[in-house]
Amino acid sequence: VANEGGKHWTVNEVRALIRIWSDKNIQQQLEGTVRNKRIFEQVAARLQKFGIDRDWKQCRTKYKNLKHEYKSVKSAQDSGSTSKSMKFFNELDAILGHGTMEHASKSDN
């Protein structure tokens, strides 16, 4: 299937995904593993409670896309460009920003 994501994610669906992703427990699990099907099955199950019907693959794909987009906006900002932005940057920065700060301070030494 060319478009693995299926139908487009609505703003509310993305918000719900980010809300689940912001759970410290989920974050720790994601940081510690590459084989994360089980984690995304949990995420999909939690989305279902919000009435959002997504399978684990769709959740993982959306997660990867958001993370990739966040990183490209972040690196553009770090290099002084303000032209790049994204819809959920602040929410993702709250989740992902802590990791990038640590890396930034380490590379300064």
Side-chain angles (χ1 to χ4, degrees):
V1 187
N3 186 1
E4 202 175 279
K7 64 185 174 71
H8 278 295
W9 287 65
T10 66
V11 169
N12 285 342
E13 287 176 331
V14 176
R15 281 226 167 86
L17 178 68
I18 291 172
R19 192 175 308 134
I20 293 165
W21 180 6
S22 68
D23 180 327
K24 289 272 178 270
N25 185 22
I26 296 282
Q27 284 179 52
Q28 285 168 342
Q29 289 181 63
L30 286 168
E31 279 167 21
T33 183
V34 178
R35 300 196 178 282
N36 48 21
K37 177 182 176 185
R38 278 212 327 276
I39 302 161
F40 284 105
E41 284 172 339
Q42 287 175 37
V43 170
R46 284 171 70 174
L47 281 175
Q48 219 110 41
K49 289 177 186 164
F50 292 114
I52 298 166
D53 189 24
R54 296 285 181 177
D55 65 22
W56 71 269
K57 269 188 181 166
Q58 291 170 316
C59 293
R60 188 177 65 183
T61 301
K62 190 64 181 174
Y63 161 82
K64 283 181 172 177
N65 290 344
L66 284 167
K67 202 169 169 179
H68 176 76
E69 189 181 355
Y70 167 82
K71 282 180 174 173
S72 72
V73 170
K74 186 81 173 164
S75 68
Q77 285 182 355
D78 291 347
S79 67
S81 167
T82 52
S83 60
K84 237 176 151 46
S85 68
M86 66 179 284
K87 198 172 212 155
F88 300 101
F89 183 83
N90 292 339
E91 291 94 325
L92 293 175
D93 199 43
I95 300 170
L96 299 169
H98 65 92
T100 53
M101 284 312 295
E102 289 166 12
H103 296 307
S105 60
K106 280 179 191 155
S107 63
D108 289 344
N109 297 344

